[in-house]
Amino acid sequence: MHQSYSYHWSKQLLSTNIKWTYVITLICMLVVPTLGQVNMIGRQSQNEGIWVLPAKTAPVIDGDLSDWNMSGRILCFADQQLQDQYSTQVTAMWDEQYLYYAIKWNDPSPLGNMVDPRFNPDTGWKSDCVQLRFMTADQITWIDGWYHLDSKSSVIRITVWDDMTNWRQNKARSLVAPPGKVDLGEGAQQAFTQTESGYIQEMRIPWKMIHRKIPAIKSDMTFRLGMEFLWGDPAGSDKLTHRYADNIQAGITKREFYWNNYRVWGNATLTDQPTVAQRQYSPKSDRLTGPVPIELTLPLDAKIVSLAIDDVTGKRVRNMGGLKVADYTTQTTDKAIKVSIPWDTMADTQWQGNHSKGYHPTSNPVAPGQYTVKALTHSGIDATYEMSFYNPGTPVWDVADTSGAWGADHTTPHLLATSGKRMIVAWELAEGGWGIIGIGENGRKIWSEKRGAKVLAADEQYVYAVPEAFGNLPLPPSIIRLDSATGDYRPFTRDGKTLPFELRLENLFDTSSLGILKTMTVGKKYIALGYEANAIVLLDKTHAGFVRQLNLPTPTALTFSKDGELYAISSNQLCTINQDSGKATPIPTPDLQSPVGLTCDANGNLLTADTGTDSQVKAFTLQGKLAYTCGQQGGRPIRGKYDR
């Protein structure tokens, strides 16, 4: 989504005279403390390791931390000023069987994760969730933990890398506790309790879950443990409100691609000490210090102030720019803001040296005397929403019911299907935005699905798609089914049992020799899949069971008519297909050169896009007669005005 903004700012000049003595300056400069940062960078936490304390008795996993030793706790926050809303307090303990892990979350909208592990197990991180990144001597493991709001169930998603240097090759599984229970299976437990400021998340992780071969579990054992904390949108969309990654190797500050960059994950060290010194957090102060106060009265809307200090001859001796008014405010009235800004009496830094030998800074105090201060203020930079480009969503941003925003970010729309009076549009894939959307008869978007589609089809009730994998993640082709009116997931059912939502085609029929899936359509009885290796596969549309395979040379497009007849583009020829024998009967279409895509209109005509020299959509009767065309014959120039 692209947006444009307009900006507004104002300025005002002020002046004041300052007198001081050199002796006072020296005394004041000697007593000014140097403020250093402790376990922080700027306003964010910088935890370089975590102690894992011994559990004298195993804590009960119930969401109550009264039986925990909290002395080893660390605090994690992206902005100390937002710590009351978005931060975590993390504690870890151990015994010979388990790693115990607890989080006290500050969260203004706690336990709101609506990601259903049955349908989207790999995207629990899109709302309230913790992602733990383990690297032990013989295994890299990701564990995502969240509370699924709708089912009131505790969930963890475990992903184990096949190769400790390649995250793309992995195996994943989900453990889901019964509603209201803590036992997840495999010895793991997880509990949640809501608090006044957020919630508590308590976990028990078996050592066997993060090791291929369990070593001797003892004091001084160290492994890597990266932690990513995620806060979901209180409105229920899949857009995060806040995120922070912490516990990092010493000296490293960058957190880009933290999720797979195991080299930066911080250490977790087992200790046999019953307590450790509790970690403190102090930011580096950006506030100026000095013995000479510059006292000014600023306009009420001032957010930033810059000072220019001149001597009695008018020569500039010091520039102090971009100071936050809030850091120096002493009084605020209904008309003005009073500030006191300390000056260290130093002149501007001078750089001495040359290009070959290098440069070094020198700073010297100014001479005693009278100086004039000029101040420039402005009210900050604000954004005013003007418009949205290429986005007819209503509204143009995401909302919980997914009717906002529009489509995908990385690809263009490439598939269309109709479902009654609704239009279904699909993009190949989406990282941000949506891969499949439903549009109502008024042209407004009504629902969204994150998955993109390699092929797409729809009937009056359902949308059928084979999703396309994002990036370099090869996934076995699977068919999914959505409610065409709401976008809700509608897994196939067979013999009274609900099948997996992502139903792998290889589990329905032998796909090994069929090549690439090129097209799909749905009719009264069947779903038809067309493969490049000269085959059409028919599935029962009610339960996705295999019916039969038909042999047909290069079926690039398929469609069913209203009466259930199957038509295809085969070897550049429009054909009727016998659904029992697979026999193809060509329909003579002398006006058709290079057909792409196939569908039927309301009158039963067959429509295809002729990408030959005509560059038109052409409609043919079932006898092959050209019924009508859409678009100017020969197409239009790449540049120029559209025809009206």
Side-chain angles (χ1 to χ4, degrees):
M1 181 171 65
H2 303 274
Q3 298 177 347
S4 63
Y5 304 88
S6 61
Y7 304 94
H8 311 278
W9 64 282
S10 62
K11 62 183 180 180
Q12 180 171 346
L13 286 172
L14 305 161
S15 67
T16 186
N17 291 329
I18 296 176
K19 292 184 179 180
W20 53 279
T21 66
Y22 192 71
V23 175
I24 293 176
T25 302
L26 289 176
I27 294 173
C28 292
M29 288 174 65
L30 289 173
V31 299
V32 172
T34 299
L35 300 178
Q37 56 192 3
V38 178
N39 296 313
M40 291 182 64
I41 295 178
R43 298 200 307 225
Q44 69 188 42
S45 62
Q46 171 77 2
N47 288 291
E48 298 179 350
I50 181 173
W51 289 108
V52 185
L53 274 61
K56 290 185 177 180
T57 58
V60 178
I61 307 302
D62 56 1
D64 181 356
L65 302 185
S66 60
D67 53 353
W68 280 67
N69 180 353
M70 306 295 289
S71 69
R73 69 96 179 96
I74 64 173
L75 306 181
C76 305
F77 47 88
D79 188 337
Q80 197 173 39
Q81 294 184 0
L82 299 177
Q83 195 171 349
D84 290 343
Q85 293 178 285
Y86 301 105
S87 66
T88 60
Q89 177 177 307
V90 177
T91 307
M93 299 194 300
W94 68 279
D95 60 25
E96 291 185 356
Q97 286 185 292
Y98 302 106
L99 170 67
Y100 302 96
Y101 184 86
I103 313 171
K104 293 178 69 174
W105 293 79
N106 280 336
D107 187 341
S109 56
L111 300 175
N113 195 318
M114 292 190 286
V115 176
D116 194 323
R118 296 174 301 169
F119 305 131
N120 295 295
D122 290 318
T123 60
W125 57 269
K126 291 186 176 181
S127 189
D128 297 341
C129 180
V130 65
Q131 293 187 292
L132 303 179
R133 316 294 190 187
F134 294 96
M135 182 179 184
T136 58
D138 61 358
Q139 183 171 301
I140 291 181
T141 312
W142 295 332
I143 297 180
D144 297 358
W146 74 94
Y147 176 82
H148 180 226
L149 179 62
D150 288 347
S151 66
K152 296 179 172 53
S153 298
S154 169
V155 184
I156 64 172
R157 179 69 168 173
I158 307 154
T159 304
V160 178
W161 296 18
D162 294 339
D163 178 348
M164 291 184 67
T165 62
N166 183 7
W167 64 270
R168 290 183 174 88
Q169 302 296 324
N170 61 66
K171 294 181 176 64
R173 65 191 189 277
S174 298
L175 300 179
V176 182
K181 303 297 183 180
V182 301
D183 287 315
L184 295 157
E186 300 184 22
Q189 293 183 337
Q190 183 173 234
F192 296 86
T193 301
Q194 188 165 338
T195 65
E196 290 185 0
S197 60
Y199 64 99
I200 290 171
Q201 182 174 3
E202 192 177 10
M203 305 174 75
R204 186 181 80 180
I205 301 170
W207 290 114
K208 63 183 179 181
M209 192 170 282
I210 59 174
H211 291 89
R212 284 186 168 86
K213 183 179 180 181
I214 303 176
I217 306 299
K218 59 184 180 179
S219 179
D220 295 329
M221 186 181 88
T222 297
F223 56 93
R224 293 195 178 189
L225 172 58
M227 301 177 291
E228 294 191 66
F229 307 101
L230 305 123
W231 287 260
D233 177 6
S237 78
D238 72 342
K239 297 297 183 289
L240 293 171
T241 299
H242 198 75
R243 170 193 174 272
Y244 192 56
D246 209 352
N247 200 32
I248 204 157
Q249 288 294 312
I252 294 176
T253 60
K254 293 184 178 180
R255 288 162 164 81
E256 291 84 359
F257 293 95
Y258 184 89
W259 55 282
N260 68 356
N261 190 1
Y262 56 85
R263 297 173 184 84
V264 307
W265 301 342
N267 291 340
T269 303
L270 275 56
T271 178
D272 57 7
Q273 298 299 311
T275 60
V276 294
Q278 198 159 78
R279 191 169 297 178
Q280 303 300 313
Y281 297 83
S282 299
K284 180 180 179 181
S285 176
D286 293 327
R287 193 178 187 278
L288 298 178
T289 60
V292 177
I294 301 174
E295 297 180 350
L296 303 169
T297 300
L298 307 180
L300 196 59
D301 66 346
K303 297 293 189 298
I304 303 294
V305 60
S306 297
L307 306 182
I309 304 176
D310 299 340
D311 64 16
V312 291
T313 68
K315 179 183 177 181
R316 181 65 43 83
V317 296
R318 182 69 182 273
N319 294 284
M320 300 159 66
L323 306 178
K324 296 179 180 178
V325 171
D327 290 344
Y328 304 96
T329 298
T330 58
Q331 184 182 1
T332 301
T333 69
D334 58 353
K335 295 182 179 180
I337 301 172
K338 292 186 177 182
V339 297
S340 180
I341 301 173
W343 178 26
D344 59 7
T345 73
M346 302 298 287
D348 278 334
T349 298
Q350 302 294 319
W351 291 87
Q352 298 181 347
N354 55 54
H355 179 69
S356 60
K357 293 183 178 180
Y359 295 87
H360 60 275
T362 60
S363 299
N364 296 300
V366 299
Q370 180 173 306
Y371 292 84
T372 300
V373 176
K374 297 178 181 178
L376 176 69
T377 73
H378 68 79
S379 57
I381 298 175
D382 294 321
T384 301
Y385 175 73
E386 295 283 357
M387 62 174 290
S388 175
F389 172 72
Y390 185 55
N391 192 336
T394 307
V396 297
W397 50 84
D398 278 320
V399 291
D401 67 4
T402 74
S403 64
W406 191 239
D409 51 354
H410 288 297
T411 56
T412 56
H414 75 136
L415 296 171
L416 290 171
T418 58
S419 176
K421 294 183 178 181
R422 292 179 290 273
M423 183 75 72
I424 314 301
V425 185
W427 286 252
E428 190 173 1
L429 53 88
E431 181 180 19
W434 306 98
I436 305 174
I437 66 173
I439 301 173
E441 59 181 310
N442 61 356
R444 297 294 188 184
K445 179 181 174 185
I446 53 178
W447 57 261
S448 308
E449 164 57 33
K450 174 63 71 175
R451 297 168 177 84
K454 182 182 300 183
V455 294
L456 180 76
D459 56 23
E460 291 283 337
Q461 188 174 3
Y462 297 117
V463 176
Y464 308 82
V466 174
E468 182 66 89
F470 174 75
N472 296 317
L473 296 173
L475 298 175
S478 302
I479 189 169
I480 64 172
R481 188 171 68 172
L482 308 170
D483 188 302
S484 71
T486 63
D488 292 340
Y489 298 150
R490 295 289 183 256
F492 292 97
T493 59
R494 188 184 305 160
D495 299 328
K497 295 182 179 180
T498 300
L499 301 178
F501 174 63
E502 290 188 338
L503 190 57
R504 291 190 178 184
L505 297 178
E506 64 184 9
N507 294 335
L508 302 177
F509 54 91
D510 183 7
T511 62
S512 59
S513 61
L514 297 181
I516 297 174
L517 177 62
K518 304 295 288 187
T519 183
M520 178 171 68
T521 189
V522 61
K524 287 184 174 181
K525 296 169 55 179
Y526 302 131
I527 301 168
L529 303 167
Y531 285 87
E532 67 173 355
N534 306 327
I536 296 175
V537 174
L538 299 181
L539 304 178
D540 188 294
K541 68 178 287 185
T542 60
H543 54 69
F546 175 75
V547 177
R548 68 181 64 91
Q549 179 175 319
L550 309 175
N551 296 322
L552 182 72
T554 57
T556 56
L558 300 171
T559 192
F560 281 103
S561 63
K562 286 186 176 181
D563 58 6
E565 293 297 320
L566 180 60
Y567 298 90
I569 300 291
S570 172
S571 300
N572 234 28
Q573 174 70 54
L574 186 59
C575 304
T576 303
I577 307 300
N578 185 298
Q579 296 171 58
D580 294 319
S581 65
K583 180 182 178 181
T585 302
I587 299 174
T589 51
D591 297 312
L592 186 60
Q593 298 175 1
S594 183
V596 174
L598 187 62
T599 190
C600 291
D601 68 10
N603 297 319
N605 296 309
L606 297 170
L607 277 70
T608 186
D610 190 344
T611 61
T613 57
D614 286 347
S615 293
Q616 291 176 300
V617 174
K618 296 180 177 179
F620 296 93
T621 67
L622 299 184
Q623 293 73 40
K625 181 180 178 180
L626 184 64
Y628 59 88
T629 62
C630 299
Q632 179 177 306
Q633 188 174 20
R636 57 174 294 276
I638 294 177
R639 297 172 181 83
K641 295 182 178 180
Y642 284 99
D643 296 331
R644 293 183 180 273

